[in-house]
Amino acid sequence: GAKYDGVVRHCFQCGATAEQSGVAGVLQAYKDVFRSGLIMSGPTVFTEVIQTAAARAESAQQNAARHGGQCYTILLIVTDGAVSDVEATARCLEEASRAPLSVVIVGVGNADFSGMQFLDDFSSGKRDIAQFVEFNKHSHSSQALTSVTLDEIPTQLTTYFQSKGIPPRPPLQTSDSKAALGQEEEEIDLTLDIGEDEIAVTAGGDDFVDGFNAGR
């Protein structure tokens, strides 16, 4: 959570606009919000963010369906601590399982994340939509981190559409003459300095990138 004018909030907009373009836009919005008077604050609560994401995911899918399309949403939560209320989070994920949504939670820093084990142990008979990844266990290899982060999403996506009786759309047909290559995005290095009271975000981080790529 974060404090604005002494009031703790657990769901708020980063940046001047609700949506950002590309990785650079997301990072800039993240940096901007720390210049706005925000103060990092406990407790660690995900429920409001998950509920907001689930509502938006359902709305996006309904809008896509009206135009003959399909839409599935992935919520990425980066946290430096375990959730404060395990039962409330588990109930929220159960309710959100009705939406076209996957929730990936990445734990960063040296906190004790054993309290997040409930995400793997929790079983309500509903669709499993959550995946927890401890960053430090996979920071030696970007390939390993990517693999474990995305591992469950294909199954979560297909089980949602199958549960709704929505068949896959026909494969896209493309030709070389119609293929357009966009400009390659610039790689951005990001370093997180996690302290007790704040998280500092800096660009660069050459040493971290070298270590991260060491496993390749």
Side-chain angles (χ1 to χ4, degrees):
K3 284 184 179 180
Y4 279 105
D5 298 325
V7 178
V8 176
R9 304 180 185 180
H10 297 289
C11 186
F12 50 88
Q13 179 176 301
C14 291
T17 58
E19 295 186 5
Q20 303 296 329
S21 177
V23 175
V26 172
L27 295 181
Q28 188 59 53
Y30 189 74
K31 294 175 183 178
D32 288 346
V33 78
F34 280 93
R35 302 189 186 105
S36 65
L38 170 147
I39 301 174
M40 300 296 289
S41 174
T44 302
V45 178
F46 297 160
T47 51
E48 189 174 352
V49 171
I50 294 172
Q51 289 166 349
T52 300
R56 291 188 177 186
E58 291 208 22
S59 177
Q61 165 58 14
Q62 291 170 1
N63 183 62
R66 285 194 291 269
H67 297 86
Q70 297 175 0
C71 184
Y72 192 85
T73 300
I74 300 172
L75 169 64
L76 172 64
I77 299 176
V78 180
T79 180
D80 64 343
V83 294
S84 302
D85 192 330
V86 170
E87 292 185 2
T89 306
R91 289 195 301 270
C92 183
L93 288 170
E94 181 179 352
E95 294 172 359
S97 68
R98 304 183 183 94
L101 176 71
S102 287
V103 181
V104 178
I105 304 171
V106 178
V108 298
N110 299 316
D112 179 9
F113 290 109
S114 59
M116 302 298 285
Q117 183 64 35
F118 79 95
L119 289 171
D120 294 324
D121 297 339
F122 177 70
S123 177
S124 65
K126 304 291 185 180
R127 190 171 66 91
D128 174 21
I129 66 168
Q131 166 81 342
F132 176 74
V133 178
E134 193 167 345
F135 179 84
N136 284 347
K137 291 183 177 180
H138 307 280
S139 60
H140 64 284
S141 167
S142 59
Q143 183 177 4
L145 179 64
T146 301
S147 177
V148 72
T149 301
L150 303 178
D151 181 56
E152 297 184 10
I153 290 177
T155 299
Q156 292 168 353
L157 183 150
T158 54
T159 54
Y160 169 78
F161 286 112
Q162 288 172 353
S163 70
K164 301 296 183 181
I166 302 174
R169 290 179 51 78
L172 292 176
Q173 301 295 329
T174 60
S175 64
D176 293 340
S177 61
K178 295 182 179 179
L181 298 178
Q183 183 177 359
E184 184 177 354
E185 287 195 16
E186 178 185 359
E187 287 192 5
I188 299 174
D189 301 335
L190 176 65
T191 299
L192 298 178
D193 183 10
I194 303 173
E196 293 183 359
D197 299 321
E198 63 178 12
I199 299 178
V201 183
T202 57
D206 293 336
D207 294 338
F208 168 78
V209 173
D210 290 343
F212 190 65
N213 293 331
R216 287 185 174 180

